[in-house]
Amino acid sequence: MFTAGCTGSDDSGSSRAGRNFRPGADGVGDLYFPTYGNGGYDVANYALKVRYEPDGDRLAGTATITATATADLSRFNLDLVGLTVTEVVVDGARSDFRHDDGELVITPKRGLARDDRFTVEVEYHGLPEPILSPDLGEGGFMATEDGAIALGQPESASSWFPVNDHPEDKASYDIAVTVPQELSALSNGVPGERSTEDGWTTWRWSERTPMASYLVTLVIGNYRVKTATHDGKPLVTAVAASLPEGGPAERSLERTGEISDFLATQFGPYPFESYGGIAISDRRIGYALETQSRPVYGPAFFTSGPNDTVVAHELAHQWFGDSVSVRRWSDLWLNEGFATYAEWLWTQHDGGISAQQSFDRAYQDTDWAKPALDPGRAALFGRPVYQRGALAVHALRLTVGDEAFFRMLKTWTAEKRNGNVVTADLVTVAERVSGRTLRPLFDAWLSGTTAPPPPPPAS
């Protein structure tokens, strides 16, 4: 949507008198990733129009970003890696910009006053490239044999569109992707109308529920796409054509609705307007990621047969991580601990070992010298964040009892829906719901350096 004539461009000067316009920060201040995201504004919506040519690996796009200034801005930044910007328009006026070191610095014709709603349109093109991290490996936009994949955590979005690339600034998305007509172009949210012209097809997707930027995905290539309806909402699954038809990946994704329904009995109503999953064949992707409403699964998870556990993990993230998102990356256990615990719940529900048995096994196999909370940047995706996180969740359950525990989970997902949280917020909710003092328990299970004794089941 293009908006002209907002207060930020008011020529009368009456609303601008006495304001001290300053540059917005070039990062949100996350201690692990200081340059991620930007300060001074809050994005409401990204409207992306992208065209990708696999022959030559060329991307061209227009991003229309609707935002509100949270400070008096003389200029502001967007994150964009490795592409060429040709034009920037702010509220209908061409604006000065510079682009280097992954930062697109935009200087509008007139300062943007705090609380002003404004629109930025950025035209760009080029050869997209992955984002390399010395601690976390490769992510972002990667060309494949038959298309491309844009995927990664903690960042990937800035490799294919200009963005405020930190989970603290969630927004809605409207995405239109034009590709050769023989290919599929998959993304997040509700599928829209497809159109084909001159050998090119435009796929449209809309995610109206606020989404963190690292949860946006784009998967282009030869895929078997199935669209159904589940609980009145679209369920879109896609499996790479190079994977066996009716094989382990396809059979696992077919349980998406069933697993989502079970998790809803544990965590509360499913938080989004669509369901789905994408199974890719590119072996560079050795992980699965909870991309909002439509997780992406790497091929390694299905080499030995169907894998419902990984599906349960990524679907649990729709509540823990996607709907309720971290405010800072050091609290990532809030995502991974609960998703790992969901694996234990699903395994028990599906006829496997009990959650208590999963707890007992993980307890014996844990390095208690390594914390789950604030583990350090290099250990962000290490085993303690996942396993100690899940152990802490089960210890909480044993301490407060099942009734209070599951009531607390549903209270948490309802009260914090679409928001950003830190660990202290969870402690506050858990103590309020249970009527118990729980800070020492969380400290011991998340950060202590020796194994805490397992709590006896609550009477």
Side-chain angles (χ1 to χ4, degrees):
M1 182 171 63
F2 192 83
T3 304
C6 77
T7 307
S9 301
D10 182 5
D11 290 330
S12 69
S14 60
S15 64
R16 309 170 60 82
R19 292 188 179 275
N20 184 15
F21 292 95
R22 295 182 178 181
D26 62 358
V28 300
D30 192 299
L31 292 178
Y32 285 9
F33 306 102
T35 62
Y36 283 17
N38 304 282
Y41 62 92
D42 177 62
V43 177
N45 176 263
Y46 294 90
L48 307 177
K49 295 181 180 179
V50 174
R51 181 184 176 99
Y52 181 66
E53 300 180 36
D55 292 340
D57 185 30
R58 298 202 63 84
L59 180 79
T62 300
T64 303
I65 303 166
T66 305
T68 298
T70 59
D72 292 336
L73 294 175
S74 60
R75 68 171 189 251
F76 60 94
N77 290 25
L78 291 165
D79 301 302
L80 183 66
V81 177
L83 294 166
T84 299
V85 176
T86 55
E87 185 176 67
V88 176
V89 173
V90 178
D91 287 336
R94 288 186 177 180
S95 299
D96 294 334
F97 66 89
R98 61 179 172 84
H99 184 208
D100 53 65
D101 295 327
E103 296 285 342
L104 175 60
V105 184
I106 300 169
T107 304
K109 291 295 184 183
R110 299 182 68 84
L112 302 170
R114 180 173 181 170
D115 297 328
D116 277 355
R117 192 172 180 87
F118 64 96
T119 300
V120 186
E121 186 174 292
V122 181
E123 293 187 7
Y124 60 99
H125 69 272
L127 302 176
E129 58 189 43
I131 299 171
L132 300 177
S133 166
D135 299 321
L136 305 170
E138 186 177 68
F141 197 102
M142 293 178 281
T144 65
E145 291 182 358
D146 61 353
I149 298 170
L151 188 71
Q153 188 181 21
E155 64 174 340
S156 64
S158 58
S159 67
W160 63 284
F161 66 93
V163 58
N164 195 14
D165 207 359
H166 190 275
E168 196 167 31
D169 192 1
K170 301 167 74 169
S172 63
Y173 284 76
D174 295 289
I175 301 173
V177 185
T178 302
V179 296
Q181 66 179 12
E182 68 272 14
L183 301 181
S184 302
L186 303 148
S187 191
N188 311 80
V190 175
E193 182 180 356
R194 259 182 264 168
S195 57
T196 299
E197 184 177 357
D198 296 330
W200 294 81
T201 297
T202 299
W203 295 63
R204 295 176 175 85
W205 303 91
S206 178
E207 179 53 89
R208 308 310 303 169
T209 309
M211 177 165 58
S213 54
Y214 79 94
L215 299 173
V216 185
T217 191
L218 179 59
V219 177
I220 299 169
N222 291 304
Y223 284 82
R224 296 188 297 273
V225 181
K226 295 182 179 179
T227 300
T229 300
H230 182 78
D231 195 25
K233 301 175 181 179
L235 192 162
V236 181
T237 58
V239 177
S242 57
L243 296 176
E245 189 166 2
E250 203 161 294
R251 297 203 303 274
S252 298
L253 265 60
E254 285 174 353
R255 300 193 77 181
T256 293
E258 176 190 359
I259 295 172
S260 297
D261 288 348
F262 166 72
L263 295 177
T265 68
Q266 310 296 293
F267 305 148
Y270 181 76
F272 302 121
E273 296 178 345
S274 64
Y275 300 85
I278 304 169
I280 61 178
S281 60
D282 193 310
R283 296 193 177 279
R284 292 174 298 175
I285 308 299
Y287 56 88
L289 188 62
E290 60 271 20
T291 44
Q292 189 159 306
S293 76
R294 197 152 293 116
V296 176
Y297 304 92
F301 292 100
F302 308 110
T303 56
S304 301
N307 187 338
D308 304 334
T309 303
V310 69
V311 177
H313 183 105
E314 302 309 329
L315 290 177
H317 273 309
Q318 305 307 304
W319 286 264
F320 300 99
D322 294 11
S323 177
V324 183
S325 304
V326 294
R327 189 178 304 152
R328 57 194 182 203
W329 284 105
S330 56
D331 285 288
L332 187 65
W333 85 271
L334 288 168
N335 298 1
E336 300 301 347
F338 280 100
T340 302
Y341 193 66
E343 295 179 35
W344 300 358
L345 294 173
W346 170 254
T347 297
Q348 177 176 316
H349 173 77
D350 203 38
I353 64 174
S354 68
Q356 181 63 48
Q357 289 172 306
S358 294
F359 171 88
D360 293 339
R361 290 182 180 183
Y363 182 87
Q364 296 300 325
D365 194 30
T366 292
D367 182 352
W368 295 96
K370 297 178 180 178
L373 173 61
D374 197 6
R377 172 174 167 154
L380 188 59
F381 299 102
R383 181 178 175 85
V385 173
Y386 292 67
Q387 295 298 324
R388 280 193 70 169
L391 289 168
V393 173
H394 192 70
L396 173 64
R397 178 181 178 180
L398 293 175
T399 299
V400 303
D402 279 8
E403 191 281 328
F405 174 75
F406 287 104
R407 182 158 46 90
M408 183 273 294
L409 294 188
K410 293 174 182 177
T411 300
W412 175 251
T413 59
E415 290 185 356
K416 306 302 181 181
R417 183 170 181 168
N418 298 335
N420 295 83
V421 295
V422 295
T423 299
D425 297 324
L426 178 66
V427 176
T428 297
V429 171
E431 289 185 335
R432 170 163 53 85
V433 172
S434 68
R436 294 172 178 252
T437 298
L438 297 169
R439 168 58 72 179
L441 179 141
F442 281 101
D443 288 345
W445 287 88
L446 296 173
S447 304
T449 56
T450 59
S459 56

